[in-house]
Amino acid sequence: MAIISYLLPLFLSLIIISSASANFQRDVEITWGDGRGQIKNNGELLTLTLDKSSGSGFQSKNEYLFGKIDMQMKLVPGNSAGTVTTLYLKSPGTTWDEIDFEFLGNSSGDPYTLHTNVYTQGKGDKEQQFKLWFDPTADFHTYSILWNPQRIIFTVDGTPIREFKNMESLGTLFPKNKPMRMYSSLWNADDWATRGGLVKTDWSKAPFTATYRGFKQEACVWSNGKSSCPNGSKQGTTGTSGSWLSQQLDSTAQQRMRWVQRNYMIYNYCTDSKRFPQGLPKECLAA
């Protein structure tokens, strides 16, 4: 017990981490939807609902400059065509930074499309899309964004699906200066979401509902112009508590990511030569 009493203050001084027991009442606020977003079970569960009038959304109370965000989600079941469920980090302003998970719904029996993107200073166009190797509507699955000064890693149930490295040395923008909040939303985008807008939302199936639990935030929390990380948010810490600040993919994780990309990736901007007739982006050539 003496060891625990000694280590706990040190652990908390290194980095602010949410309790292992997620509590949406404490950690997030529902920001739009006029009652369509609801926190339930004493903060353990959150639901977002979409009907013909409106969708809904929520955001984290904390703002982060680097972190690892985990969320367990169960997506809209059945015919979800036209709907988009999101989980992302974003900074405010017209030249914003953003790290995206977007789940594009589909007709019953067809898989969701998982769309990822990275924006820096309001510039994106770095899309990769995947089909998932499971039914994301049948049960909860964990979707994670790890963001540190060296890289961004998108992970599904512990399996990395995408890594976006800091390649500022090549002139590629990387989000590292602007604090971001976590956001999630459920909304209608049937003008583009499903097969480029060919399949529209079937409102006879409404209301549509996505369910959330297990929100975890290991992060440098940004407040009043300061980071909770002791050396500043741009420098990694050592030890287990700060490992995500310098984390990279080991050989096993890289092999797993290549397996996902080989079998489940359906679009990669780095291979779209028609989109970049003057040549692929430099970060694609260096990958």
Side-chain angles (χ1 to χ4, degrees):
M1 291 297 294
I3 294 176
I4 295 175
S5 298
Y6 172 78
L7 290 178
L8 184 58
L10 176 62
F11 178 77
L12 293 177
S13 70
L14 285 174
I15 193 166
I16 291 179
I17 300 177
S18 68
S19 167
S21 177
N23 188 308
F24 286 113
Q25 291 176 334
R26 178 192 62 220
D27 297 331
V28 310
E29 55 186 348
I30 295 173
T31 49
W32 64 283
D34 195 22
R36 292 173 179 83
Q38 296 186 2
I39 297 174
K40 303 177 179 180
N41 294 1
N42 295 318
E44 294 180 359
L45 204 69
L46 187 152
T47 58
L48 294 182
T49 298
L50 163 69
D51 59 31
K52 199 168 185 178
S53 298
S54 177
S56 49
F58 65 93
Q59 69 181 41
S60 63
K61 291 182 179 179
N62 285 330
E63 199 171 22
Y64 318 105
L65 189 54
F66 305 122
K68 183 176 184 292
I69 302 299
D70 302 313
M71 184 72 77
Q72 295 179 33
M73 301 170 61
K74 182 160 61 173
L75 302 183
V76 174
N79 186 356
S80 58
T83 71
V84 177
T85 309
T86 66
L87 177 69
Y88 61 102
L89 297 171
K90 186 180 180 183
S91 67
T94 56
T95 55
W96 72 98
D97 293 349
E98 185 173 341
I99 305 169
D100 283 342
F101 272 125
E102 291 186 322
F103 303 87
L104 312 185
N106 217 329
S107 302
S108 297
D110 292 335
Y112 267 77
T113 295
L114 172 52
H115 177 98
T116 66
N117 205 350
V118 177
Y119 288 79
T120 311
Q121 298 178 25
K123 297 178 181 179
D125 299 330
K126 296 175 173 60
E127 305 93 338
Q128 289 184 0
Q129 293 183 340
F130 305 82
K131 301 295 184 184
L132 295 170
W133 53 95
F134 53 83
D135 179 359
T137 74
D139 203 350
F140 288 94
H141 293 269
T142 302
Y143 304 92
S144 307
I145 297 171
L146 184 148
W147 168 42
N148 66 32
Q150 297 83 34
R151 56 187 44 82
I152 296 164
I153 301 173
F154 297 81
T155 305
V156 177
D157 287 339
T159 295
I161 65 170
R162 178 179 185 181
E163 179 183 29
F164 183 81
K165 294 181 180 179
N166 184 340
M167 294 190 182
E168 290 179 309
S169 60
L170 299 178
T172 300
L173 297 175
F174 186 85
K176 64 182 181 61
N177 296 315
K178 298 179 180 181
M180 297 194 261
R181 293 186 190 274
M182 182 276 298
Y183 295 87
S184 187
S185 59
L186 173 59
W187 52 291
N188 178 52
D190 65 3
D191 56 334
W192 63 269
T194 306
R195 294 180 58 196
L198 294 177
V199 183
K200 303 299 182 181
T201 304
D202 182 356
W203 293 111
S204 70
K205 307 297 183 182
F208 304 99
T209 300
T211 309
Y212 301 75
R213 71 182 187 190
F215 171 44
K216 183 179 179 183
Q217 47 183 334
E218 295 182 82
C220 297
V221 175
W222 189 262
S223 180
N224 298 318
K226 295 182 179 180
S227 169
S228 65
C229 293
N231 297 322
S233 59
K234 296 179 184 178
Q235 299 180 24
T237 60
T238 59
T240 302
S241 62
S243 61
W244 58 265
L245 261 172
S246 56
Q247 183 174 335
Q248 55 187 319
L249 298 179
D250 61 20
S251 59
T252 301
Q254 289 175 354
Q255 289 176 4
R256 187 67 175 169
M257 183 175 68
R258 286 194 289 269
W259 173 81
V260 171
Q261 294 182 350
R262 184 170 60 250
N263 292 283
Y264 297 99
M265 179 182 282
I266 57 175
Y267 178 79
N268 182 4
Y269 81 106
C270 277
T271 60
D272 192 346
S273 56
K274 292 182 178 179
R275 182 175 172 183
F276 302 103
Q278 303 304 317
L280 294 172
K282 291 181 180 179
E283 71 269 15
C284 298
L285 301 175

